[in-house]
Amino acid sequence: MKTLKRRSHQALTITPTSVERSSLQTTAQKLKATADTPKAEMSKDPSEHNIKRKRKKGDGTAQSAKIKKSKKQTECFLDPKVEEKPVTCPPKKKRRRKKISDILVSSAPKPAAPADLQNMIIQHFKNERSVIELEELKLPDSCFLQSNDLTHTLSSYLKQVCPKWVKLCKNHTENKSVLMLIICSSALRALEMIRLITAFKGDCKTLKLFAKHIKVEEQIKWLAKGVIHLGVGTPGRIRNLIERDGLSLQSLKYVILDWNWRDQKFRRLMDIPEVKQETLKLLETSVVPVCKSGSVKLGLF
C-alpha cells in the first residue's frame, strides 16, 4: 500500500512539469523568431515583410513584381479638385452714407440766396398747411436784404446792409424791443458773433439770447429794465421770449440769419434738424408777418 501511494504521488508531481516545459518551448521559439528578423523589416509594413520571407523560397523576379504592385497600390494621388478650397463670397459692404464734408469736397460751397429759404419753408410745411397757407408764407423779394457773397466779415456785411445804424441807435428808446436780431445755430457761435460785431455796433447795447447758463426770467428782466439795440441768440430761446411777451418786435428793423457758417461737422444753420425746425417755426409765427408788413428786412449772412 505504501508503494502505491508513493507511485501515485510521483505521477501527480510529474504532470505539471511537462506542461510547463511545453509552454516554455513555445515561448522560446517565438523569441528566436523575433530575434532572427531584423529591426528594419519589423518597422516596415507586414505585407512587405511577408513578401521578403517568400523571396527566399521562390523566384526573385516574380517577387520584385509583386513588391512593385503593392507599392503602386499603396501610392495615392490627390485630386486637385478636392484640394481646392471652397470659394467663399466676400462679405457685403454696407453702403456708406454721404456726409456733408464729402459733398463739400466735390463741390464748392455756394452763397445763400432768398430762393433757398423760400423753397425750404415750402418743403417743410407742404404736408401740414393748405395751398392758401403756403402762399401766405411766401415772402416778396423786397423783404430781403443783399445776401453775403462769402467775401464779407460780419461787421463789413452789416455796414453794407445797414448804413444808418448809428442814427437808428440814437432814436431807439423802447424797452423789451431790439433793432436787430441775429439768429445763430448755437450759444458758442452767438458769443463768437458778438465779438465779431465790435467794429459795427459802436456804443449800442447787445444782449445774449440763448439758453446756455442763462435763465429766461433773467433775460426778460434785462429786456424790461433798459434799452437793448441788438440781440444775438438761438431761434429756440428767441421764440420762447416772444411767446412769453418778454421780447417785442415793435421796433425791430433787421433779422439776420447766420446761414453760410459751418460748424466742426460742416453743418450749417439749416443742416441741424433741431435748429432748422426751431428757425422755421420762428419765421412762420413771428418773422414772416412783420416782414410782409414792410417794417422788417431779412438778411442771409
Side-chain angles (χ1 to χ4, degrees), residues 23-83:
S23 63
L24 286 169
Q25 285 175 1
T26 53
T27 52
Q29 286 175 3
K30 286 180 182 179
L31 288 169
K32 283 180 182 181
T34 53
D36 292 338
T37 54
K39 291 181 181 179
E41 290 181 0
M42 290 297 287
S43 62
K44 291 181 181 178
D45 294 335
S47 61
E48 293 181 4
H49 176 65
N50 294 330
I51 291 163
K52 284 187 178 181
R53 287 179 67 186
K54 288 175 183 178
R55 191 182 293 173
K56 294 177 183 178
K57 298 176 182 179
D59 190 12
T61 56
Q63 295 298 330
S64 63
K66 286 182 182 179
I67 292 164
K68 286 180 181 178
K69 283 183 182 179
S70 66
K71 282 184 179 178
K72 284 182 181 179
Q73 289 174 359
T74 53
E75 287 178 357
C76 61
F77 298 95
L78 294 173
D79 191 1
K81 292 181 181 178
V82 178
E83 287 183 356

Side-chain angles (χ1 to χ4, degrees), residues 186-187 190-191 194 208-214 219 232-234 237:
S186 64
L191 292 171
I194 290 169
K208 302 168 187 175
L209 302 177
F210 49 79
K212 194 171 185 178
H213 306 304
I214 303 172
Q219 291 169 340
V232 184
T234 54
R237 177 51 62 92

Side-chain angles (χ1 to χ4, degrees), residues 219-245:
Q219 291 169 340
I220 292 170
K221 285 179 184 178
W222 293 336
L223 287 164
K225 278 182 181 179
V227 177
I228 307 296
H229 302 91
L230 201 151
V232 184
T234 54
R237 177 51 62 92
I238 292 169
R239 190 168 68 88
N240 195 0
L241 288 167
I242 293 168
E243 288 175 355
R244 292 193 179 197
D245 294 328

Side-chain angles (χ1 to χ4, degrees), residues 257-269:
L257 296 177
D258 187 24
W259 187 279
N260 296 303
W261 181 80
R262 297 181 185 272
D263 60 4
Q264 292 179 349
K265 295 181 180 179
F266 296 95
R267 296 179 302 178
R268 297 178 300 176
L269 176 72

